[in-house]
Amino acid sequence: MTVLPSVGPPQMAAKNLSARLDALAELTRTGRQREGADGFTPELLDDSEALLRRAGERLRLSANHTVVALAGGTGSGNPRCSTPWPGPASRPPG
C-alpha cells in the first residue's frame, strides 16, 4: 500500500481525495465496459467498487470526528494506553 504525502491543509486534502475518488469511479465505470481477457479483471473492478463504497461511508462521517487506532502486539500495553481516554464515543477494540 502506498502512503500518499500530505497535500496541505485538511480542506485541501479532502478536495484532493474527492477528485481521486471521482477519477477511480470513472475508471471503474469504464473498466466494466472493458472487462475480460483483454481488459480489467472482475476481481480488480470488484475491489475498486468496494474501496469506493468504504471511502463513501467514511466521507459521510462528520468532519468533527477523529478516528484513532492504538495497535500493537499482545502484551504491549494497549489497554493501559487507552484507559485514561474518556468520552461517549470511545469504542472497544476490534
Side-chain angles (χ1 to χ4, degrees), residues 20-55:
R20 288 188 283 175
L21 290 172
D22 287 345
L24 179 60
E26 181 62 28
L27 180 61
T28 303
R29 279 191 294 275
T30 302
R32 283 289 176 203
Q33 298 168 2
R34 297 185 176 132
E35 188 175 338
D38 295 332
F40 296 99
T41 65
E43 293 82 10
L44 176 66
L45 295 168
D46 292 345
D47 288 347
S48 171
E49 289 173 347
L51 183 141
L52 288 166
R53 276 192 304 276
R54 288 192 313 270

Side-chain angles (χ1 to χ4, degrees), residues 1 3-4 8 13-15 20-21 25 29-30 32 39 41-42 50 53 57 59-60 62 66-67 76 79 87:
M1 178 178 180
V3 177
L4 299 171
K15 289 178 186 175
R20 288 188 283 175
L21 290 172
R29 279 191 294 275
T30 302
R32 283 289 176 203
T41 65
R53 276 192 304 276
E57 290 168 4
L59 287 173
R60 283 189 287 279
S62 169
T66 301
V67 176
S76 63

Side-chain angles (χ1 to χ4, degrees), residues 70 75-85:
L70 298 175
S76 63
N78 292 337
R80 187 177 59 235
C81 292
S82 62
T83 301
W85 295 6

